[in-house]
Short mmCIF file of all heavy atoms in Angstrom, two decimals:
data_model
loop_
_atom_site.label_atom_id
_atom_site.label_comp_id
_atom_site.label_asym_id
_atom_site.label_seq_id
_atom_site.Cartn_x
_atom_site.Cartn_y
_atom_site.Cartn_z
N ARG M 356 24.87 -15.38 -16.54
CA ARG M 356 25.70 -16.50 -16.21
C ARG M 356 25.63 -16.78 -14.66
O ARG M 356 25.87 -17.88 -14.20
CB ARG M 356 27.15 -16.25 -16.56
CG ARG M 356 27.40 -16.49 -18.05
CD ARG M 356 28.60 -15.72 -18.51
NE ARG M 356 28.95 -16.17 -19.85
CZ ARG M 356 29.74 -17.23 -20.12
NH1 ARG M 356 30.26 -17.85 -19.10
NH2 ARG M 356 30.03 -17.58 -21.33
N GLU M 357 25.47 -15.69 -13.96
CA GLU M 357 25.44 -15.87 -12.51
C GLU M 357 24.20 -15.29 -11.92
O GLU M 357 23.65 -14.32 -12.45
CB GLU M 357 26.66 -15.15 -11.88
CG GLU M 357 27.96 -15.87 -12.01
CD GLU M 357 29.07 -14.98 -11.54
OE1 GLU M 357 29.02 -14.58 -10.36
OE2 GLU M 357 29.95 -14.62 -12.39
N ARG M 358 23.77 -15.81 -10.81
CA ARG M 358 22.59 -15.38 -10.13
C ARG M 358 22.57 -13.85 -9.90
O ARG M 358 21.65 -13.15 -10.20
CB ARG M 358 22.53 -16.14 -8.81
CG ARG M 358 21.20 -16.10 -8.12
CD ARG M 358 21.33 -16.83 -6.81
NE ARG M 358 20.30 -16.38 -5.95
CZ ARG M 358 19.32 -17.09 -5.57
NH1 ARG M 358 19.16 -18.31 -6.04
NH2 ARG M 358 18.37 -16.64 -4.81
N ASP M 359 23.66 -13.34 -9.34
CA ASP M 359 23.63 -11.94 -8.90
C ASP M 359 23.82 -10.95 -10.05
O ASP M 359 23.46 -9.81 -9.96
CB ASP M 359 24.69 -11.72 -7.82
CG ASP M 359 24.38 -12.56 -6.59
OD1 ASP M 359 23.18 -12.93 -6.46
OD2 ASP M 359 25.32 -12.91 -5.86
N THR M 360 24.45 -11.35 -11.15
CA THR M 360 24.58 -10.43 -12.24
C THR M 360 23.26 -10.00 -12.75
O THR M 360 23.10 -8.85 -13.17
CB THR M 360 25.40 -11.07 -13.45
OG1 THR M 360 25.79 -12.33 -13.01
CG2 THR M 360 26.63 -10.24 -13.69
N GLY M 361 22.32 -10.94 -12.87
CA GLY M 361 20.97 -10.65 -13.31
C GLY M 361 20.37 -9.55 -12.44
O GLY M 361 19.80 -8.61 -12.93
N ILE M 362 20.53 -9.72 -11.12
CA ILE M 362 19.91 -8.75 -10.22
C ILE M 362 20.51 -7.32 -10.48
O ILE M 362 19.75 -6.35 -10.61
CB ILE M 362 20.22 -9.10 -8.70
CG1 ILE M 362 19.65 -10.45 -8.47
CG2 ILE M 362 19.66 -8.02 -7.81
CD1 ILE M 362 19.82 -10.91 -7.02
N VAL M 363 21.83 -7.31 -10.59
CA VAL M 363 22.48 -6.00 -10.75
C VAL M 363 22.07 -5.35 -12.05
O VAL M 363 21.72 -4.17 -12.08
CB VAL M 363 24.03 -6.22 -10.71
CG1 VAL M 363 24.72 -4.92 -11.00
CG2 VAL M 363 24.42 -6.74 -9.36
N THR M 364 22.01 -6.09 -13.14
CA THR M 364 21.64 -5.51 -14.43
C THR M 364 20.18 -4.96 -14.36
O THR M 364 19.94 -3.86 -14.80
CB THR M 364 21.69 -6.54 -15.55
OG1 THR M 364 22.63 -7.58 -15.19
CG2 THR M 364 22.00 -5.97 -16.89
N CYS M 365 19.37 -5.76 -13.78
CA CYS M 365 17.94 -5.42 -13.76
C CYS M 365 17.73 -4.17 -13.02
O CYS M 365 17.06 -3.25 -13.45
CB CYS M 365 17.20 -6.61 -13.13
SG CYS M 365 15.54 -6.20 -12.65
N ILE M 366 18.30 -4.03 -11.79
CA ILE M 366 18.12 -2.94 -10.94
C ILE M 366 18.64 -1.67 -11.67
O ILE M 366 18.02 -0.62 -11.66
CB ILE M 366 18.89 -3.11 -9.66
CG1 ILE M 366 18.20 -4.16 -8.76
CG2 ILE M 366 19.01 -1.83 -8.82
CD1 ILE M 366 16.74 -3.92 -8.61
N PHE M 367 19.78 -1.87 -12.31
CA PHE M 367 20.43 -0.72 -12.97
C PHE M 367 19.50 -0.12 -13.99
O PHE M 367 19.43 1.06 -14.16
CB PHE M 367 21.73 -1.21 -13.57
CG PHE M 367 22.74 -0.13 -13.60
CD1 PHE M 367 23.44 0.13 -12.48
CD2 PHE M 367 22.97 0.58 -14.73
CE1 PHE M 367 24.41 1.16 -12.46
CE2 PHE M 367 23.89 1.56 -14.76
CZ PHE M 367 24.62 1.87 -13.61
N PHE M 368 18.71 -0.99 -14.69
CA PHE M 368 17.94 -0.49 -15.83
C PHE M 368 16.61 0.01 -15.46
O PHE M 368 15.88 0.54 -16.31
CB PHE M 368 17.92 -1.53 -16.92
CG PHE M 368 19.11 -1.45 -17.82
CD1 PHE M 368 20.18 -2.32 -17.65
CD2 PHE M 368 19.11 -0.55 -18.88
CE1 PHE M 368 21.33 -2.22 -18.46
CE2 PHE M 368 20.24 -0.43 -19.71
CZ PHE M 368 21.30 -1.24 -19.48
N SER M 369 16.18 -0.22 -14.21
CA SER M 369 14.84 0.24 -13.77
C SER M 369 14.58 1.72 -14.08
O SER M 369 13.61 2.08 -14.70
CB SER M 369 14.62 -0.02 -12.28
OG SER M 369 14.70 -1.39 -12.01
N VAL M 370 15.52 2.56 -13.63
CA VAL M 370 15.30 4.04 -13.77
C VAL M 370 15.36 4.40 -15.26
O VAL M 370 14.58 5.18 -15.74
CB VAL M 370 16.42 4.72 -12.99
CG1 VAL M 370 16.13 6.21 -13.04
CG2 VAL M 370 16.47 4.27 -11.58
N VAL M 371 16.30 3.71 -15.98
CA VAL M 371 16.35 3.98 -17.37
C VAL M 371 15.03 3.65 -18.17
O VAL M 371 14.48 4.39 -18.95
CB VAL M 371 17.52 3.20 -18.06
CG1 VAL M 371 17.56 3.37 -19.55
CG2 VAL M 371 18.85 3.67 -17.45
N LEU M 372 14.49 2.47 -17.75
CA LEU M 372 13.20 2.04 -18.39
C LEU M 372 12.12 3.04 -18.06
O LEU M 372 11.25 3.31 -18.91
CB LEU M 372 12.80 0.66 -17.92
CG LEU M 372 13.59 -0.50 -18.49
CD1 LEU M 372 13.07 -1.84 -18.06
CD2 LEU M 372 13.61 -0.50 -20.02
N LEU M 373 12.08 3.52 -16.81
CA LEU M 373 11.01 4.47 -16.45
C LEU M 373 11.09 5.69 -17.34
O LEU M 373 10.06 6.19 -17.80
CB LEU M 373 11.16 4.85 -14.97
CG LEU M 373 10.11 5.76 -14.47
CD1 LEU M 373 8.76 5.20 -14.46
CD2 LEU M 373 10.49 6.25 -13.03
N PHE M 374 12.31 6.22 -17.60
CA PHE M 374 12.46 7.37 -18.39
C PHE M 374 12.16 7.07 -19.88
O PHE M 374 11.66 7.92 -20.57
CB PHE M 374 13.79 8.06 -18.21
CG PHE M 374 13.76 9.01 -17.09
CD1 PHE M 374 13.95 8.56 -15.79
CD2 PHE M 374 13.58 10.37 -17.30
CE1 PHE M 374 13.99 9.48 -14.73
CE2 PHE M 374 13.56 11.24 -16.24
CZ PHE M 374 13.75 10.83 -14.97
N LEU M 375 12.52 5.87 -20.29
CA LEU M 375 12.26 5.50 -21.69
C LEU M 375 10.80 5.37 -22.00
O LEU M 375 10.36 5.52 -23.15
CB LEU M 375 12.94 4.14 -22.00
CG LEU M 375 14.38 4.09 -22.46
CD1 LEU M 375 14.88 2.76 -22.72
CD2 LEU M 375 14.55 4.98 -23.75
N SER M 376 9.99 5.10 -20.99
CA SER M 376 8.58 4.81 -21.21
C SER M 376 7.82 6.01 -21.67
O SER M 376 6.70 5.89 -22.24
CB SER M 376 7.96 4.26 -19.96
OG SER M 376 7.77 5.30 -19.02
N GLY M 377 8.30 7.21 -21.42
CA GLY M 377 7.60 8.40 -21.85
C GLY M 377 6.57 8.91 -20.83
O GLY M 377 5.79 9.77 -21.16
N ALA M 378 6.55 8.33 -19.62
CA ALA M 378 5.63 8.71 -18.64
C ALA M 378 6.07 10.01 -17.98
O ALA M 378 5.30 10.86 -17.55
CB ALA M 378 5.49 7.69 -17.56
N ILE M 379 7.43 10.25 -17.99
CA ILE M 379 7.95 11.49 -17.36
C ILE M 379 8.37 12.45 -18.52
O ILE M 379 7.82 13.55 -18.58
CB ILE M 379 9.18 11.14 -16.55
CG1 ILE M 379 8.74 10.27 -15.38
CG2 ILE M 379 9.82 12.43 -16.01
CD1 ILE M 379 9.82 9.72 -14.53
N TRP M 380 9.26 12.03 -19.33
CA TRP M 380 9.62 12.87 -20.42
C TRP M 380 8.87 12.49 -21.70
O TRP M 380 8.83 11.29 -22.03
CB TRP M 380 11.17 12.65 -20.66
CG TRP M 380 11.71 13.65 -21.68
CD1 TRP M 380 12.02 13.37 -23.02
CD2 TRP M 380 12.09 14.96 -21.42
NE1 TRP M 380 12.56 14.47 -23.61
CE2 TRP M 380 12.60 15.47 -22.69
CE3 TRP M 380 12.04 15.83 -20.33
CZ2 TRP M 380 13.00 16.81 -22.79
CZ3 TRP M 380 12.51 17.14 -20.50
CH2 TRP M 380 12.99 17.64 -21.70
N PRO M 381 8.13 13.43 -22.31
CA PRO M 381 7.23 13.02 -23.40
C PRO M 381 7.91 12.25 -24.57
O PRO M 381 9.02 12.68 -24.90
CB PRO M 381 6.58 14.35 -23.88
CG PRO M 381 7.44 15.40 -23.28
CD PRO M 381 8.04 14.87 -22.06
N GLN M 382 7.20 11.29 -25.03
CA GLN M 382 7.82 10.43 -26.11
C GLN M 382 8.17 11.25 -27.35
O GLN M 382 9.17 11.02 -28.00
CB GLN M 382 6.83 9.34 -26.51
CG GLN M 382 6.96 8.09 -25.69
CD GLN M 382 6.03 7.00 -26.15
OE1 GLN M 382 4.88 7.31 -26.45
NE2 GLN M 382 6.47 5.79 -26.22
N CYS M 383 7.30 12.22 -27.69
CA CYS M 383 7.49 13.00 -28.88
C CYS M 383 8.72 13.89 -28.83
O CYS M 383 9.19 14.38 -29.84
CB CYS M 383 6.24 13.81 -29.26
SG CYS M 383 5.67 14.78 -27.87
N ASN M 384 9.23 14.09 -27.60
CA ASN M 384 10.40 14.93 -27.48
C ASN M 384 11.72 14.14 -27.23
O ASN M 384 12.73 14.76 -26.93
CB ASN M 384 10.27 15.96 -26.33
CG ASN M 384 9.17 16.97 -26.67
OD1 ASN M 384 8.02 16.61 -26.81
ND2 ASN M 384 9.56 18.19 -26.85
#
Side-chain angles (χ1 to χ4, degrees):
Chain M
R356 283 159 167 270
E357 283 172 58
R358 192 181 159 109
D359 298 336
T360 359
I362 300 181
V363 175
T364 333
C365 166
I366 289 308
F367 211 79
F368 275 95
S369 297
V370 186
V371 172
L372 285 184
L373 182 64
F374 272 83
L375 272 180
S376 75
I379 296 173
W380 188 259
Q382 271 182 317
C383 50
N384 291 66

